[in-house]
Amino acid sequence: MAKRRKKRRDHWGPFLLFWTLLLLTLGLVSCLVYYRYASVYEDTMPEKAMDELMAAMSEDGWRDALLPTVGEVGEFEDPQQLFESYFNGALEGRKLSYRLDRTKSTPDQSIFGLYAGPSRLGEVRLVPVEGSRISFLAKKWSRCEWRVESIRATPLTEALEALTVEIDVPDGTEIFLNGKPLRQELIIDPAVPLSEVGELEARFERQPRMVRYEITPLYGDITVTDAEGNEIAPLGEIENGRCRYVVEPKETYSFEIEAPEGVVVTVCGAELGEGEIVSSENNMFRHLENYITDSWYKTVHYAADGLYSVPEIRATYNGEELTPVVGVSGKYFFFYPSDPDTTWVMRSAADEFFKSYMNYTSYKYNGTAMSDLLNRTLSGTDLYRNIKSSRDAMIWASATEVKYDELKISNFHFVRDDCFSCSINYKADYTATSWHGQQSRTEQDGYKMLFVQRGGRWLAASMTAFEN
């Protein structure tokens, strides 16, 4: 029995030795295979190719490689300028680095993002070098060397925040964005109310309108200029990705209107009221209290400026439309409607007085012209005194010939039975002759006249130039 047990122990020793040597051999072979695979794995990692690329490329080299791949943006921006500005800003004070983009990488390609701090500047695509694949036991363990197939810039639409620009301008106004004119196709609203209008213009039947341009997306600096190159500031801070500009109309309008009390005056459909009244008086009746004790009327003077709409001026009296007289300066004058009872004698008195006045002021007749004019003027009035005191000045005046291009006497209105008002408009050519030759000029003016009846005759009591 003891011999049998000893024989079994003698067989167990070689068995253990055999398996020990086998396991050691297998371990050695496994280690050799592993170290070989690890060496190949390290040499064929795409990161190694990226490290070599990063070492070989300078910052300028990366910039030059990325710039040609920048995609298009809108017509008002240069994509390469935008990207270069983004690149330089992201790189300031930072170093370039890379990260493997696992969402895009596959066994047949490795995608690496190029970064400067948190900013992604572009991506590098690596693909296997043809014929470099090495297999280990299974296909899935095969390895290969990598090469750069492409370097592409990050799309600006992903790298930069988009902005929408709204620009309100008067219709027909040329406006520029980053040096390029805005096209009509960019108008999204052709009738935007103008917010900056006064109280009067807010009552107009037709409000002044603007057109609204919308330009999107924009990614870089924005410069809005007018046709003269003047830069326009934004209306306020950027809100919800929108930047607004409002270009006020450069041209504004004004008006001056004079009308008798009781005449309803409208501008663009808005009736003028207390807010537009500058004064309420009537110079025609000044110092005539001794001749006209009652019945005179006031003249209301309206004015406004800073309007963005061209003033359309109308006036009515008791529902009757009035025709304005427009002075040289553009001032509107309205008068009461001509009375149907106006006589030929009244018209003749006004016509003869004015011709006598022009004869006197043109110095055609010396003392005779003055006497004739005074004979047609109401004695004791300011008008009479002014004519009489002008004699010394007229002695030295040059003889002047007057030729009328226009002469209109109208707007006859009875102030009372023995007093009427009217208007005189004229345009005349003057030729003055003196010792040193002739001088010519054209004059256009008008007068508001007041006549008073005395002794069966109509005499001029007041004469006021339109522009006074």
Side-chain angles (χ1 to χ4, degrees), residues 276-329:
E276 293 75 49
I277 295 177
V278 177
S279 63
S280 181
E281 58 183 358
N282 198 332
N283 294 338
M284 287 196 304
F285 295 99
R286 185 175 295 170
H287 303 148
L288 293 179
E289 295 85 356
N290 295 332
Y291 305 94
I292 307 172
T293 56
D294 56 10
S295 302
W296 58 74
Y297 58 87
K298 291 183 178 180
T299 299
V300 184
H301 180 201
Y302 302 95
D305 57 14
L307 301 175
Y308 297 113
S309 303
V310 178
E312 298 175 2
I313 300 169
R314 298 180 63 190
T316 58
Y317 182 71
N318 292 334
E320 181 180 347
E321 182 111 14
L322 304 180
T323 301
V325 174
V326 182
V328 177
S329 67

Side-chain angles (χ1 to χ4, degrees), residues 24-74:
L24 288 173
T25 302
L26 290 174
L28 178 61
V29 170
S30 297
C31 287
L32 292 174
V33 171
Y34 172 76
Y35 282 116
R36 171 61 179 163
Y37 182 78
S39 175
V40 172
Y41 181 87
E42 185 176 349
D43 290 340
T44 57
M45 286 181 65
E47 285 80 0
K48 182 178 181 181
M50 277 299 299
D51 288 337
E52 293 173 353
L53 180 63
M54 296 293 289
M57 293 279 279
S58 64
E59 292 178 0
D60 290 339
W62 280 111
R63 184 187 293 105
D64 294 342
L66 293 170
L67 276 178
T69 68
V70 177
E72 292 297 321
V73 289

Side-chain angles (χ1 to χ4, degrees), residues 48 77 99 115 225 234 240 275 289 327 352 404 422 431 436 460:
K48 182 178 181 181
E77 295 182 292
R99 300 174 203 167
Y115 289 85
T225 53
N240 301 320
E289 295 85 356
E352 289 174 2
Y404 293 102
C422 67
T431 303
H436 53 77

Side-chain angles (χ1 to χ4, degrees), residues 348-408:
S348 177
D351 180 67
E352 289 174 2
F353 170 83
F354 185 69
K355 289 180 178 177
S356 178
Y357 173 79
M358 296 299 281
N359 279 339
Y360 172 66
T361 55
S362 63
Y363 201 69
K364 275 190 175 182
Y365 308 99
N366 191 358
T368 304
M370 183 176 182
S371 297
D372 182 64
L373 181 59
L374 289 174
N375 188 45
R376 301 177 187 279
T377 307
L378 184 62
S379 177
T381 60
D382 289 347
L383 178 60
Y384 190 93
R385 286 190 289 271
N386 290 338
I387 294 171
K388 198 167 186 178
S389 64
S390 67
R391 179 181 178 278
D392 291 343
M394 294 303 296
I395 290 176
W396 301 102
S398 301
T400 305
E401 182 179 353
V402 182
K403 180 180 178 182
Y404 293 102
D405 294 327
E406 298 175 11
L407 177 59
K408 183 179 181 181

Side-chain angles (χ1 to χ4, degrees), residues 104-392:
K104 294 182 179 180
S105 297
T106 67
D108 296 323
Q109 68 172 11
S110 291
I111 305 298
F112 289 89
L114 181 69
Y115 289 85
S119 301
R120 182 165 174 142
L121 303 178
E123 68 178 31
V124 179
R125 182 173 184 261
L126 302 182
V127 295
V129 176
E130 190 175 347
S132 66
R133 189 170 293 277
I134 304 172
S135 297
F136 283 87
L137 302 179
K139 185 177 181 180
K140 65 179 181 179
W141 292 342
S142 63
R143 304 296 295 175
C144 61
E145 295 178 357
W146 298 87
R147 65 176 179 84
V148 177
E149 183 183 69
S150 64
I151 299 175
R152 300 195 64 81
T154 296
L156 292 170
T157 55
E158 298 176 10
L160 301 175
E161 184 176 353
L163 188 68
T164 296
V165 170
E166 287 183 359
I167 306 175
D168 294 350
V169 300
D171 193 12
T173 301
E174 193 173 23
I175 208 75
F176 295 81
L177 175 61
N178 293 344
K180 295 183 179 180
L182 298 183
R183 298 178 288 104
Q184 294 292 311
E185 292 79 7
L186 297 171
I187 295 176
I188 62 167
D189 191 342
V192 179
L194 180 62
S195 58
E196 305 298 323
V197 297
E199 189 275 333
L200 170 62
E201 198 160 8
R203 307 198 314 263
F204 286 0
E205 289 180 347
R206 293 194 307 275
Q207 295 296 310
R209 300 288 179 179
M210 311 270 274
V211 297
R212 176 168 294 167
Y213 292 90
E214 183 180 88
I215 306 95
T216 190
L218 295 169
Y219 298 98
D221 295 333
I222 296 168
T223 303
V224 178
T225 53
D226 59 18
E228 288 75 37
N230 301 312
E231 187 169 347
I232 297 159
L235 193 61
E237 298 296 327
I238 298 173
E239 294 184 5
N240 301 320
R242 287 183 174 267
C243 184
R244 282 186 39 76
Y245 292 80
V246 175
V247 182
E248 300 289 352
K250 285 189 175 181
E251 186 174 11
T252 58
Y253 304 91
S254 62
F255 65 77
E256 285 189 73
I257 303 171
E258 198 174 279
E261 57 187 352
V263 171
V264 177
V265 182
T266 63
V267 177
C268 297
E271 183 176 339
L272 300 185
E274 293 291 333
E276 293 75 49
I277 295 177
V278 177
S279 63
S280 181
E281 58 183 358
N282 198 332
N283 294 338
M284 287 196 304
F285 295 99
R286 185 175 295 170
H287 303 148
L288 293 179
E289 295 85 356
N290 295 332
Y291 305 94
I292 307 172
T293 56
D294 56 10
S295 302
W296 58 74
Y297 58 87
K298 291 183 178 180
T299 299
V300 184
H301 180 201
Y302 302 95
D305 57 14
L307 301 175
Y308 297 113
S309 303
V310 178
E312 298 175 2
I313 300 169
R314 298 180 63 190
T316 58
Y317 182 71
N318 292 334
E320 181 180 347
E321 182 111 14
L322 304 180
T323 301
V325 174
V326 182
V328 177
S329 67
K331 184 176 179 180
Y332 276 63
F333 297 88
F334 289 99
F335 301 90
Y336 289 124
S338 288
D339 288 313
D341 297 333
T342 300
T343 64
W344 174 86
V345 176
M346 295 164 59
R347 293 181 179 275
S348 177
D351 180 67
E352 289 174 2
F353 170 83
F354 185 69
K355 289 180 178 177
S356 178
Y357 173 79
M358 296 299 281
N359 279 339
Y360 172 66
T361 55
S362 63
Y363 201 69
K364 275 190 175 182
Y365 308 99
N366 191 358
T368 304
M370 183 176 182
S371 297
D372 182 64
L373 181 59
L374 289 174
N375 188 45
R376 301 177 187 279
T377 307
L378 184 62
S379 177
T381 60
D382 289 347
L383 178 60
Y384 190 93
R385 286 190 289 271
N386 290 338
I387 294 171
K388 198 167 186 178
S389 64
S390 67
R391 179 181 178 278
D392 291 343

